Coordinates of all heavy atoms in Angstrom, one line a residue:
M1 N 0.9 -1.2 0.0 CA 0.0 0.0 0.0 C 0.9 1.2 0.0 O 1.9 1.3 0.7 CB -0.9 0.0 1.2 CG -2.0 0.9 1.2 SD -3.2 0.7 2.5 CE -3.8 -1.0 2.1
A2 N 0.6 2.2 -0.8 CA 1.4 3.4 -1.0 C 1.3 4.3 0.2 O 0.2 4.5 0.7 CB 1.1 4.1 -2.3
L3 N 2.4 4.9 0.6 CA 2.4 5.9 1.7 C 2.4 7.2 1.0 O 3.5 7.8 0.8 CB 3.5 5.7 2.6 CG 3.5 4.4 3.5 CD1 4.7 4.3 4.3 CD2 2.3 4.5 4.4
D4 N 1.2 7.8 0.7 CA 1.2 9.1 0.0 C 0.5 10.0 0.9 O 0.0 9.7 2.0 CB 0.5 9.0 -1.3 CG -0.9 8.2 -1.2 OD1 -1.1 7.7 -0.1 OD2 -1.6 8.1 -2.2
I5 N 0.4 11.3 0.6 CA -0.2 12.3 1.4 C -1.7 12.1 1.5 O -2.4 11.8 0.6 CB 0.1 13.7 0.8 CG1 1.6 14.0 0.8 CG2 -0.6 14.8 1.5 CD1 2.0 15.2 0.1
G6 N -2.1 12.1 2.8 CA -3.5 11.9 3.1 C -3.8 10.5 3.6 O -4.9 10.2 4.0
R7 N -2.9 9.6 3.5 CA -3.1 8.2 3.9 C -3.2 8.1 5.4 O -2.4 8.7 6.2 CB -1.9 7.3 3.5 CG -1.9 5.9 4.0 CD -2.9 5.0 3.3 NE -2.7 5.0 1.9 CZ -3.6 4.5 1.0 NH1 -4.8 4.0 1.5 NH2 -3.4 4.5 -0.2
I8 N -4.2 7.4 5.9 CA -4.4 7.3 7.4 C -3.6 6.0 7.8 O -3.7 5.0 7.2 CB -5.9 7.1 7.7 CG1 -6.6 8.4 7.4 CG2 -6.0 6.8 9.2 CD1 -8.0 8.4 7.7
C9 N -2.8 6.2 8.9 CA -2.0 5.1 9.4 C -2.2 5.0 10.9 O -2.7 5.8 11.5 CB -0.5 5.4 9.1 SG -0.1 5.6 7.4
V10 N -1.7 3.8 11.4 CA -1.7 3.6 12.8 C -0.2 3.5 13.2 O 0.5 2.8 12.6 CB -2.4 2.3 13.2 CG1 -2.3 2.1 14.7 CG2 -3.9 2.4 12.8
K11 N 0.1 4.3 14.2 CA 1.5 4.3 14.7 C 1.7 3.0 15.5 O 0.9 2.7 16.4 CB 1.8 5.6 15.6 CG 3.2 5.8 15.9 CD 3.7 7.0 15.2 CE 5.1 7.5 15.6 NZ 6.0 6.8 16.4
I12 N 2.8 2.3 15.2 CA 3.0 1.0 15.9 C 4.2 1.0 16.8 O 4.5 0.0 17.4 CB 3.1 -0.2 14.9 CG1 4.2 0.0 13.9 CG2 1.7 -0.4 14.2 CD1 4.4 -1.1 13.0
A13 N 4.9 2.1 16.9 CA 6.1 2.2 17.8 C 6.2 3.5 18.5 O 5.7 4.5 18.0 CB 7.4 1.9 16.9
G14 N 6.9 3.5 19.6 CA 7.0 4.8 20.3 C 5.9 5.1 21.3 O 5.0 4.3 21.5
R15 N 6.0 6.3 21.9 CA 5.0 6.6 22.9 C 3.6 6.9 22.3 O 2.6 6.9 23.1 CB 5.5 7.8 23.8 CG 5.4 9.1 23.1 CD 6.1 10.1 24.0 NE 5.2 11.2 24.3 CZ 5.6 12.3 24.9 NH1 6.9 12.5 25.3 NH2 4.8 13.3 25.1
D16 N 3.5 7.1 21.0 CA 2.2 7.3 20.4 C 1.7 6.1 19.7 O 0.8 6.1 18.9 CB 2.4 8.4 19.3 CG 2.7 9.8 19.9 OD1 2.2 10.1 21.0 OD2 3.4 10.6 19.2
A17 N 2.2 4.9 20.1 CA 1.8 3.6 19.5 C 0.3 3.4 19.7 O -0.2 3.7 20.8 CB 2.6 2.5 20.1
G18 N -0.4 3.0 18.7 CA -1.8 2.7 18.8 C -2.7 3.9 18.4 O -3.9 3.8 18.3
Q19 N -2.1 5.1 18.1 CA -2.8 6.3 17.8 C -2.9 6.4 16.2 O -2.1 5.9 15.5 CB -2.1 7.5 18.3 CG -1.9 7.5 19.8 CD -3.3 7.6 20.5 OE1 -4.2 8.3 20.1 NE2 -3.4 6.9 21.7
I20 N -3.9 7.1 15.8 CA -4.1 7.3 14.4 C -3.4 8.6 13.9 O -3.5 9.6 14.6 CB -5.6 7.4 14.1 CG1 -6.3 6.0 14.4 CG2 -5.9 7.8 12.6 CD1 -7.7 6.0 14.3
A21 N -2.7 8.4 12.7 CA -2.0 9.5 12.2 C -2.3 9.7 10.7 O -2.7 8.7 10.0 CB -0.5 9.3 12.3
V22 N -2.1 10.9 10.2 CA -2.3 11.1 8.7 C -1.0 11.6 8.2 O -0.3 12.4 8.8 CB -3.4 12.2 8.5 CG1 -3.5 12.6 7.0 CG2 -4.7 11.8 9.1
I23 N -0.6 11.1 7.0 CA 0.7 11.5 6.4 C 0.4 12.9 5.8 O -0.5 13.1 5.0 CB 1.1 10.5 5.4 CG1 1.4 9.2 6.1 CG2 2.3 11.0 4.6 CD1 1.9 8.1 5.1
V24 N 1.2 13.9 6.2 CA 1.1 15.2 5.8 C 2.1 15.6 4.7 O 1.9 16.4 3.8 CB 1.3 16.2 7.0 CG1 1.2 17.6 6.5 CG2 0.2 15.9 8.0
D25 N 3.3 14.9 4.7 CA 4.4 15.2 3.8 C 5.3 14.0 3.7 O 5.5 13.3 4.7 CB 5.2 16.4 4.2 CG 6.1 16.9 3.1 OD1 6.0 16.4 2.0 OD2 7.0 17.8 3.4
V26 N 5.8 13.7 2.5 CA 6.8 12.6 2.3 C 8.1 13.2 2.1 O 8.4 14.0 1.2 CB 6.4 11.8 1.0 CG1 7.4 10.7 0.8 CG2 5.0 11.2 1.2
L27 N 9.1 12.9 3.0 CA 10.4 13.5 3.0 C 11.3 12.8 2.1 O 12.0 13.4 1.3 CB 11.0 13.6 4.4 CG 10.1 14.3 5.4 CD1 10.8 14.2 6.8 CD2 10.0 15.8 5.0
D28 N 11.4 11.4 2.2 CA 12.2 10.6 1.3 C 11.6 9.2 1.3 O 10.5 9.0 1.8 CB 13.7 10.6 1.7 CG 14.0 10.2 3.2 OD1 13.2 9.3 3.7 OD2 14.9 10.7 3.8
S29 N 12.4 8.2 0.9 CA 11.8 6.9 0.8 C 11.6 6.2 2.2 O 11.0 5.2 2.2 CB 12.8 6.0 -0.1 OG 14.0 5.9 0.5
N30 N 12.2 6.8 3.2 CA 12.1 6.1 4.6 C 11.3 7.0 5.6 O 11.0 6.5 6.6 CB 13.5 5.8 5.1 CG 14.2 4.8 4.3 OD1 13.5 3.8 3.8 ND2 15.5 4.9 4.2
R31 N 11.2 8.3 5.4 CA 10.6 9.2 6.4 C 9.4 10.0 5.8 O 9.4 10.4 4.7 CB 11.7 10.1 7.0 CG 12.8 9.3 7.6 CD 13.9 10.1 8.2 NE 13.4 10.8 9.4 CZ 13.4 10.2 10.6 NH1 13.6 9.0 10.7 NH2 13.0 10.9 11.7
V32 N 8.4 10.2 6.7 CA 7.3 11.0 6.4 C 7.0 11.9 7.6 O 7.5 11.7 8.7 CB 6.0 10.2 6.1 CG1 6.2 9.3 4.8 CG2 5.7 9.3 7.3
V33 N 6.2 13.0 7.4 CA 5.7 13.8 8.4 C 4.3 13.4 8.7 O 3.5 13.3 7.8 CB 5.8 15.3 8.0 CG1 5.2 16.2 9.1 CG2 7.2 15.7 7.8
I34 N 3.9 13.2 10.0 CA 2.6 12.8 10.4 C 2.0 13.8 11.3 O 2.7 14.5 12.0 CB 2.6 11.3 11.0 CG1 3.5 11.3 12.3 CG2 3.1 10.3 10.0 CD1 3.4 10.0 13.0
D35 N 0.7 13.7 11.4 CA -0.1 14.5 12.3 C -1.4 13.9 12.6 O -1.8 12.9 11.8 CB -0.3 15.9 11.7 CG -0.7 17.0 12.7 OD1 -0.8 16.6 13.9 OD2 -1.0 18.1 12.3
G36 N -2.2 14.3 13.6 CA -3.4 13.7 13.9 C -3.6 13.5 15.4 O -3.4 14.4 16.2
Q37 N -3.8 12.3 15.8 CA -3.9 12.0 17.3 C -2.5 11.9 17.9 O -2.4 11.9 19.1 CB -4.6 10.6 17.5 CG -6.1 10.6 17.2 CD -6.7 9.3 17.4 OE1 -6.0 8.2 17.5 NE2 -8.0 9.3 17.6
V38 N -1.5 11.9 17.0 CA -0.1 12.0 17.5 C 0.5 13.4 17.4 O -0.2 14.2 16.8 CB 0.8 11.0 16.6 CG1 0.3 9.6 16.8 CG2 0.8 11.4 15.2
R39 N 1.6 13.6 17.9 CA 2.3 14.8 17.8 C 2.8 15.0 16.4 O 3.2 14.0 15.7 CB 3.5 14.9 18.7 CG 3.1 14.8 20.2 CD 4.3 14.5 21.1 NE 4.8 13.1 20.8 CZ 6.0 12.8 20.9 NH1 6.9 13.6 21.3 NH2 6.4 11.5 20.6
R40 N 2.8 16.2 15.8 CA 3.2 16.4 14.4 C 4.7 16.3 14.4 O 5.4 17.0 15.1 CB 2.8 17.8 14.0 CG 3.2 18.0 12.5 CD 2.8 19.5 12.1 NE 2.9 19.6 10.7 CZ 1.8 19.7 9.9 NH1 0.6 19.7 10.4 NH2 2.0 19.8 8.6
R41 N 5.2 15.3 13.7 CA 6.7 15.0 13.7 C 7.1 14.1 12.5 O 6.2 13.6 11.8 CB 7.1 14.4 15.0 CG 6.4 13.1 15.2 CD 6.8 12.4 16.6 NE 8.2 12.4 16.7 CZ 8.8 12.7 17.8 NH1 8.2 13.0 18.9 NH2 10.1 12.7 17.9
K42 N 8.4 14.1 12.3 CA 8.9 13.1 11.3 C 8.8 11.7 11.9 O 8.9 11.5 13.1 CB 10.4 13.4 11.0 CG 10.6 14.8 10.4 CD 12.1 15.0 10.3 CE 12.4 16.5 10.0 NZ 13.8 16.7 10.1
C43 N 8.6 10.8 11.0 CA 8.4 9.4 11.4 C 9.0 8.4 10.4 O 8.8 8.6 9.2 CB 6.9 9.1 11.7 SG 6.6 7.4 12.2
N44 N 9.6 7.4 10.9 CA 10.1 6.3 10.0 C 8.9 5.5 9.5 O 8.0 5.2 10.2 CB 11.0 5.4 10.8 CG 11.8 4.4 9.9 OD1 11.3 4.0 8.9 ND2 13.0 4.1 10.4
I45 N 8.9 5.2 8.2 CA 7.7 4.4 7.7 C 7.6 3.0 8.2 O 6.5 2.4 8.2 CB 7.8 4.4 6.1 CG1 9.0 3.7 5.6 CG2 7.7 5.8 5.5 CD1 9.0 3.4 4.1
L46 N 8.7 2.5 8.8 CA 8.6 1.2 9.4 C 7.8 1.2 10.7 O 7.4 0.2 11.3 CB 10.0 0.7 9.7 CG 10.9 0.4 8.5 CD1 12.3 0.0 8.9 CD2 10.2 -0.6 7.5
H47 N 7.6 2.4 11.3 CA 6.8 2.6 12.5 C 5.4 2.9 12.3 O 4.6 3.2 13.2 CB 7.4 3.7 13.4 CG 8.8 3.5 13.8 ND1 9.6 4.5 14.4 CD2 9.6 2.4 13.7 CE1 10.8 4.0 14.6 NE2 10.8 2.7 14.2
L48 N 4.9 2.8 11.0 CA 3.5 3.0 10.6 C 2.9 1.8 10.0 O 3.6 1.1 9.2 CB 3.5 4.2 9.6 CG 3.9 5.6 10.1 CD1 3.9 6.5 9.0 CD2 3.1 6.1 11.2
E49 N 1.6 1.6 10.3 CA 0.8 0.6 9.6 C -0.2 1.3 8.8 O -1.2 1.8 9.4 CB 0.2 -0.3 10.7 CG -0.6 -1.5 10.1 CD 0.3 -2.5 9.4 OE1 1.4 -2.8 9.9 OE2 -0.2 -3.1 8.4
P50 N -0.1 1.3 7.5 CA -1.1 2.0 6.7 C -2.4 1.3 6.7 O -2.5 0.1 6.7 CB -0.5 2.1 5.3 CG 0.5 1.0 5.3 CD 1.0 0.8 6.7
T51 N -3.5 2.1 6.6 CA -4.9 1.6 6.4 C -5.3 1.8 5.0 O -4.7 2.5 4.2 CB -5.8 2.2 7.4 OG1 -5.9 3.6 7.1 CG2 -5.4 2.0 8.9
A52 N -6.5 1.3 4.7 CA -7.1 1.5 3.3 C -7.7 2.9 3.2 O -8.0 3.3 2.1 CB -8.1 0.4 3.1
K53 N -7.9 3.6 4.3 CA -8.6 4.9 4.2 C -7.6 6.1 3.9 O -6.4 6.0 4.3 CB -9.2 5.2 5.6 CG -10.3 4.2 6.0 CD -10.8 4.6 7.3 CE -11.8 3.6 7.8 NZ -12.3 3.9 9.1
T54 N -8.1 7.1 3.2 CA -7.4 8.3 2.9 C -8.3 9.5 3.2 O -9.5 9.3 3.2 CB -6.8 8.3 1.5 OG1 -8.0 8.3 0.6 CG2 -5.9 7.2 1.2
V55 N -7.7 10.6 3.4 CA -8.4 11.9 3.5 C -7.8 12.9 2.4 O -6.7 12.7 2.0 CB -8.3 12.5 4.9 CG1 -9.1 11.7 5.9 CG2 -6.9 12.7 5.3
Q56 N -8.6 13.8 2.0 CA -8.2 14.8 1.0 C -7.6 16.0 1.8 O -8.3 16.8 2.3 CB -9.4 15.3 0.2 CG -9.9 14.2 -0.8 CD -8.9 13.8 -1.8 OE1 -8.3 12.7 -1.7 NE2 -8.6 14.7 -2.7
I57 N -6.3 16.0 1.8 CA -5.6 17.2 2.4 C -4.5 17.5 1.4 O -4.0 16.7 0.6 CB -5.0 16.9 3.8 CG1 -4.0 15.7 3.8 CG2 -6.1 16.7 4.8 CD1 -3.2 15.6 5.1
E58 N -4.0 18.8 1.6 CA -2.9 19.2 0.7 C -1.6 19.0 1.4 O -1.6 18.8 2.7 CB -3.1 20.7 0.3 CG -3.3 21.6 1.5 CD -3.8 22.9 1.1 OE1 -4.8 22.9 0.3 OE2 -3.3 23.9 1.6
K59 N -0.5 19.1 0.7 CA 0.8 18.9 1.3 C 1.1 20.0 2.4 O 0.7 21.2 2.2 CB 1.9 19.0 0.2 CG 3.3 18.8 0.7 CD 4.3 18.9 -0.5 CE 5.7 18.7 0.1 NZ 6.7 18.7 -1.0
D60 N 1.7 19.6 3.5 CA 1.9 20.5 4.6 C 0.7 21.2 5.2 O 0.7 22.3 5.5 CB 3.0 21.6 4.3 CG 4.3 21.0 4.0 OD1 4.7 20.0 4.7 OD2 5.1 21.5 3.2
A61 N -0.4 20.4 5.2 CA -1.7 21.0 5.7 C -1.5 21.3 7.2 O -0.8 20.6 7.9 CB -2.8 20.0 5.5
S62 N -2.3 22.2 7.7 CA -2.2 22.6 9.1 C -2.8 21.6 10.0 O -3.6 20.7 9.5 CB -2.9 24.0 9.3 OG -4.3 23.8 9.1
H63 N -2.6 21.7 11.3 CA -3.1 20.7 12.2 C -4.6 20.8 12.2 O -5.3 19.8 12.3 CB -2.6 21.0 13.6 CG -3.1 20.1 14.7 ND1 -2.8 18.7 14.8 CD2 -4.0 20.3 15.7 CE1 -3.4 18.2 15.8 NE2 -4.2 19.1 16.4
N64 N -5.2 22.0 12.1 CA -6.6 22.2 12.1 C -7.3 21.5 10.9 O -8.4 21.0 11.0 CB -7.0 23.6 12.2 CG -6.6 24.3 13.5 OD1 -6.5 23.6 14.5 ND2 -6.4 25.6 13.5
A65 N -6.6 21.6 9.8 CA -7.1 20.9 8.5 C -7.1 19.4 8.7 O -8.1 18.7 8.3 CB -6.3 21.3 7.3
V66 N -6.1 18.9 9.3 CA -6.0 17.4 9.6 C -7.1 17.0 10.5 O -7.8 16.0 10.3 CB -4.6 17.0 10.1 CG1 -4.6 15.6 10.5 CG2 -3.6 17.3 9.0
V67 N -7.3 17.8 11.6 CA -8.3 17.4 12.6 C -9.7 17.4 12.0 O -10.5 16.5 12.2 CB -8.3 18.4 13.8 CG1 -9.5 18.2 14.7 CG2 -7.0 18.2 14.6
S68 N -10.0 18.5 11.1 CA -11.3 18.5 10.5 C -11.5 17.4 9.5 O -12.6 16.9 9.4 CB -11.5 19.9 9.8 OG -10.6 20.1 8.8
A69 N -10.5 17.0 8.8 CA -10.6 15.8 7.9 C -10.8 14.5 8.6 O -11.6 13.7 8.1 CB -9.3 15.7 7.0
L70 N -10.2 14.4 9.8 CA -10.5 13.2 10.6 C -11.9 13.2 11.2 O -12.5 12.1 11.3 CB -9.4 13.0 11.7 CG -8.0 12.6 11.2 CD1 -7.0 12.7 12.4 CD2 -8.0 11.2 10.6
K71 N -12.4 14.3 11.5 CA -13.7 14.4 12.1 C -14.8 14.0 11.1 O -15.8 13.4 11.4 CB -14.0 15.8 12.6 CG -13.5 16.1 14.0 CD -13.9 17.5 14.5 CE -13.3 17.7 15.8 NZ -13.6 19.1 16.3
E72 N -14.5 14.3 9.8 CA -15.5 13.9 8.7 C -15.6 12.4 8.7 O -16.6 11.8 8.3 CB -15.0 14.4 7.4 CG -15.2 15.9 7.3 CD -14.7 16.5 6.0 OE1 -14.3 15.7 5.1 OE2 -14.7 17.7 5.8
L73 N -14.5 11.7 9.0 CA -14.5 10.2 9.0 C -15.0 9.6 10.4 O -15.0 8.4 10.5 CB -13.1 9.7 8.7 CG -12.6 9.9 7.3 CD1 -11.2 9.3 7.2 CD2 -13.5 9.2 6.3
G74 N -15.2 10.5 11.3 CA -15.7 10.0 12.6 C -14.6 9.7 13.6 O -14.8 9.0 14.6
I75 N -13.4 10.2 13.3 CA -12.3 9.9 14.2 C -12.0 11.2 15.0 O -11.8 12.3 14.5 CB -11.0 9.6 13.4 CG1 -11.2 8.3 12.6 CG2 -9.8 9.4 14.3 CD1 -10.2 8.0 11.6
E76 N -12.1 11.0 16.4 CA -12.0 12.2 17.3 C -10.5 12.4 17.6 O -9.8 11.4 17.9 CB -12.8 11.9 18.5 CG -13.0 13.1 19.4 CD -13.8 14.2 18.7 OE1 -14.7 13.9 17.9 OE2 -13.5 15.4 19.0
V77 N -10.1 13.6 17.6 CA -8.7 14.0 18.0 C -8.8 14.8 19.3 O -9.5 15.8 19.3 CB -8.0 14.8 16.9 CG1 -6.7 15.3 17.4 CG2 -7.9 14.0 15.6
V78 N -8.2 14.3 20.3 CA -8.2 14.9 21.6 C -6.9 15.8 21.8 O -5.8 15.3 21.6 CB -8.3 13.9 22.8 CG1 -8.2 14.6 24.1 CG2 -9.5 13.1 22.7
E79 N -7.1 17.1 22.1 CA -6.0 17.9 22.2 C -5.4 17.7 23.6 O -6.1 17.9 24.6 CB -6.4 19.4 22.1 CG -6.9 19.8 20.7 CD -5.9 19.6 19.6 OE1 -4.7 19.8 19.9 OE2 -6.3 19.3 18.5
R80 N -4.2 17.3 23.7 CA -3.5 17.0 25.0 C -2.9 18.2 25.6 O -2.8 18.4 26.8 CB -2.5 15.9 24.8 CG -3.1 14.6 24.4 CD -2.0 13.5 24.3 NE -2.6 12.3 23.8 CZ -1.9 11.5 23.1 NH1 -0.7 11.7 22.7 NH2 -2.5 10.3 22.7
K81 N -2.3 19.0 24.7 CA -1.6 20.2 25.3 C -2.5 21.4 25.5 O -3.2 21.8 24.5 CB -0.5 20.6 24.3 CG 0.4 21.7 24.8 CD 1.4 22.1 23.7 CE 2.5 21.2 23.6 NZ 3.6 21.7 22.8
T82 N -2.6 21.8 26.7 CA -3.4 23.0 27.0 C -2.5 24.1 27.7 O -1.6 23.7 28.4 CB -4.6 22.7 27.9 OG1 -4.1 22.1 29.1 CG2 -5.5 21.7 27.2
K83 N -2.8 25.3 27.4 CA -2.0 26.4 28.0 C -2.5 26.7 29.4 O -3.7 26.8 29.5 CB -2.0 27.6 27.1 CG -1.3 27.4 25.8 CD -0.9 28.7 25.2 CE -0.2 28.3 23.9 NZ 0.9 29.2 23.6
K84 N -1.7 26.7 30.3 CA -2.1 27.1 31.7 C -2.0 28.6 31.9 O -1.1 29.2 31.4 CB -1.1 26.4 32.7 CG -1.2 24.9 32.7 CD -0.3 24.3 33.7 CE -0.3 22.7 33.6 NZ 0.6 22.1 34.5
N85 N -2.9 29.1 32.6 CA -2.9 30.5 32.9 C -2.0 30.7 34.2 O -2.5 30.4 35.3 CB -4.3 31.1 33.2 CG -5.1 31.1 31.9 OD1 -4.5 31.2 30.8 ND2 -6.4 31.0 32.0
K86 N -0.8 31.1 34.0 CA 0.1 31.2 35.1 C -0.1 32.6 35.7 O -0.3 33.6 35.1 CB 1.6 31.1 34.6 CG 1.9 29.8 34.2 CD 3.4 29.7 33.9 CE 3.8 28.3 33.5 NZ 5.3 28.2 33.2
S87 N -0.1 32.6 37.1 CA -0.2 33.8 37.8 C 1.2 34.4 37.9 O 2.2 33.7 37.9 CB -0.8 33.6 39.2 OG 0.0 32.8 39.9
P88 N 1.3 35.7 37.9 CA 2.7 36.3 38.0 C 3.4 35.9 39.3 O 2.7 35.7 40.3 CB 2.4 37.8 37.9 CG 1.0 38.0 38.3 CD 0.3 36.7 37.9
R89 N 4.7 35.7 39.2 CA 5.4 35.3 40.4 C 5.4 36.5 41.4 O 5.5 37.6 41.1 CB 6.9 35.1 39.9 CG 7.4 33.8 40.4 CD 8.7 33.5 39.7 NE 9.8 34.1 40.6 CZ 11.1 34.1 40.2 NH1 11.4 33.7 39.1 NH2 12.0 34.5 41.0
P90 N 5.2 36.1 42.7 CA 5.2 37.2 43.7 C 6.6 37.9 43.8 O 7.6 37.3 43.7 CB 4.9 36.4 45.0 CG 5.2 35.0 44.7 CD 5.1 34.8 43.2
M91 N 6.5 39.2 43.9 CA 7.7 40.0 44.0 C 8.3 39.9 45.4 O 7.6 39.8 46.4 CB 7.4 41.5 43.7 CG 6.8 41.7 42.3 SD 8.0 41.3 41.0 CE 9.2 42.5 41.2
K92 N 9.6 39.8 45.4 CA 10.3 39.8 46.7 C 10.2 41.1 47.4 O 10.5 42.2 46.8 CB 11.8 39.4 46.4 CG 12.6 39.1 47.7 CD 13.9 38.6 47.3 CE 14.7 38.2 48.5 NZ 16.0 37.7 48.2
Q93 N 9.8 41.1 48.7 CA 9.7 42.3 49.4 C 11.0 42.8 49.9 O 11.8 42.0 50.4 CB 8.7 42.1 50.6 CG 7.3 41.7 50.3 CD 6.6 42.8 49.5 OE1 6.8 44.0 49.8 NE2 5.9 42.4 48.5
R94 N 11.3 44.1 49.8 CA 12.5 44.7 50.3 C 12.5 44.9 51.8 O 11.4 45.3 52.3 CB 12.8 46.0 49.6 CG 13.1 45.9 48.1 CD 13.5 47.2 47.6 NE 14.0 47.0 46.2 CZ 14.9 47.8 45.7 NH1 15.4 48.8 46.4 NH2 15.3 47.6 44.5
K95 N 13.6 44.7 52.4 CA 13.7 45.0 53.8 C 14.0 46.5 53.9 O 14.8 47.0 53.2 CB 14.8 44.2 54.5 CG 14.5 42.7 54.4 CD 15.6 42.0 55.1 CE 15.3 40.5 55.0 NZ 16.4 39.7 55.6
G96 N 13.3 47.1 54.8 CA 13.5 48.5 54.8 C 13.3 49.2 56.1 O 13.4 50.0 56.7

């Protein structure tokens, strides 16, 4: 099965193993850029199990475009990283 842009794969190695990814870009014969339920990153093709499904995305599509394409297929993407509202550090009181 060809590993082309838009192919849906399952990551089978690493900390994102078992998660669904979409190929966003093909770098060379051994590496691709993936995004989806996994972190957007370069990945060895030996660490991916391609499925028969594809989505229509363009090369280097944004994360939001990948998420919306997966939602159309009924695959939910949970955002793991959230920004915390940090309170300002308390100022050190001068002795006086």
Side-chain angles (χ1 to χ4, degrees):
M1 194 168 298
L3 290 175
D4 48 355
I5 295 173
R7 174 73 57 194
I8 296 179
C9 302
V10 177
K11 189 113 174 8
I12 58 175
R15 75 186 236 189
D16 292 329
Q19 301 293 324
I20 294 176
V22 177
I23 295 177
V24 178
D25 191 10
V26 178
L27 301 176
D28 57 34
S29 62
N30 292 326
R31 299 181 73 77
V32 294
V33 177
I34 59 172
D35 196 2
Q37 291 180 340
V38 299
R39 300 166 290 150
R40 185 182 192 108
R41 61 182 309 138
K42 298 175 193 172
C43 181
N44 190 328
I45 62 170
L46 298 176
H47 297 171
L48 296 174
E49 182 69 35
T51 64
K53 298 179 184 176
T54 60
V55 292
Q56 290 296 107
I57 60 169
E58 55 196 44
K59 183 177 178 178
D60 292 326
S62 68
H63 178 71
N64 292 334
V66 173
V67 169
S68 63
L70 287 174
K71 279 186 181 177
E72 290 176 6
L73 291 177
I75 300 171
E76 192 64 33
V77 177
V78 177
E79 298 296 329
R80 293 186 186 145
K81 187 186 277 190
T82 58
K83 296 201 176 214
K84 296 180 182 177
N85 292 331
K86 291 186 178 180
S87 60
R89 231 170 91 186
M91 299 297 290
K92 189 173 184 179
Q93 298 295 322
R94 290 186 174 211
K95 295 180 183 178

